Amino acid sequence: MRLELITIVVDDYDRAIAHFTGALGFDLVEDSPSRTNDGRPKRWVVVRPPGAQTGVLLARADGPRQAAAVGEQVAGRVGFFLRVDDFDAAHERMAAAGVEFVTAPRDEPYGRVAVFLDIAGNRWDLLGPAL
């Protein structure tokens, strides 16, 4: 058993793809035409960190309820965790690419951490090895 996908609701497919692949360094795994449950066109867009098995389904908000969830999927908490081998290099590359970090890097017993926002405004932990 494995967790295959998680969903992040976004405002725009192309801006989200650019953010996840450009600023965060994810791979674009799939971008295919699809249909909603009631038959309207949409896209099936999956990104994931290089070498990872679990991907992120980027789902464009469909209607006011979903639009209200953009950036609030976990009620303002950190809800996503990106583990990297070289924290300082990843932090520097992401900051240079325009990723908004809302905390400075700090050391915790579980490793080096800094909180950043994705394109939708969701909070993520960038996690690296303990020093």
Side-chain angles (χ1 to χ4, degrees):
M1 184 182 329
R2 65 186 164 103
L3 182 63
E4 185 167 339
L5 294 171
I6 61 159
T7 298
I8 293 181
V9 181
V10 298
D11 288 325
D12 179 83
Y13 289 120
D14 294 323
R15 284 190 8 241
I17 291 168
H19 174 77
F20 277 88
T21 61
L24 301 186
F26 285 32
D27 294 328
L28 178 60
V29 176
E30 186 173 359
D31 184 357
S32 303
S34 188
R35 300 247 174 225
T36 62
N37 290 333
D38 60 2
R40 291 175 289 120
K42 68 174 186 176
R43 287 161 65 183
W44 184 262
V45 177
V46 177
V47 296
R48 71 174 165 236
Q53 288 189 356
T54 302
V56 177
L57 175 68
L58 301 174
R60 187 182 64 201
D62 184 17
R65 182 175 179 202
Q66 291 181 22
V70 172
E72 290 297 328
Q73 291 188 191
V74 290
R77 293 185 59 112
V78 172
F80 308 97
F81 304 83
L82 182 60
R83 174 74 63 180
V84 295
D85 293 328
D86 186 336
F87 179 91
D88 292 330
H91 183 269
E92 184 178 316
R93 181 187 57 75
M94 290 167 61
V99 173
E100 181 183 352
F101 282 88
V102 296
T103 68
R106 67 184 190 279
D107 295 307
E108 296 290 345
Y110 53 84
R112 193 122 170 91
V113 62
V115 178
F116 69 92
L117 302 179
D118 68 19
I119 188 85
N122 295 299
R123 291 174 169 260
W124 290 63
D125 272 356
L126 177 65
L127 298 166
L131 293 179

